[in-house]
Amino acid sequence: MSEMRVSIIDTSDMTPELHGGLIGVKGSPNPTPAEKQECVETVSTYVMDGWAIAADPSTAIGWLAALTAETA
């Protein structure tokens, strides 16, 4: 089983839209309910702080991260 991983990229010297930074979200192809919960909580927190989310929506956890970022 693979756990969700969040990669943090400092974007403080880039455009104002990315003032918080950029995080990449990667997880298992078949996430557990706990991993889904962690994804929603983590992504919501970062988005509300002005971070941009980079996730592959063709994967289950990436789709959830993208959806969470869009609705937050």
Side-chain angles (χ1 to χ4, degrees):
M1 182 175 108
S2 171
E3 290 186 22
M4 187 181 84
R5 292 187 303 258
V6 176
S7 305
I8 299 175
I9 302 166
D10 180 11
T11 59
S12 59
D13 294 334
M14 295 183 184
T15 65
E17 295 84 18
L18 299 176
H19 72 274
L22 175 69
I23 67 167
V25 179
K26 184 175 181 177
S28 66
N30 190 18
T32 65
E35 187 175 29
K36 291 177 184 178
Q37 174 92 18
E38 179 185 15
C39 177
V40 169
E41 290 173 358
T42 301
V43 169
S44 295
T45 299
Y46 278 103
V47 168
M48 297 306 285
D49 287 342
W51 290 67
I53 307 301
D56 181 359
S58 67
T59 66
I61 204 72
W63 178 83
L64 181 59
L67 181 64
T68 302
E70 184 178 326
T71 57

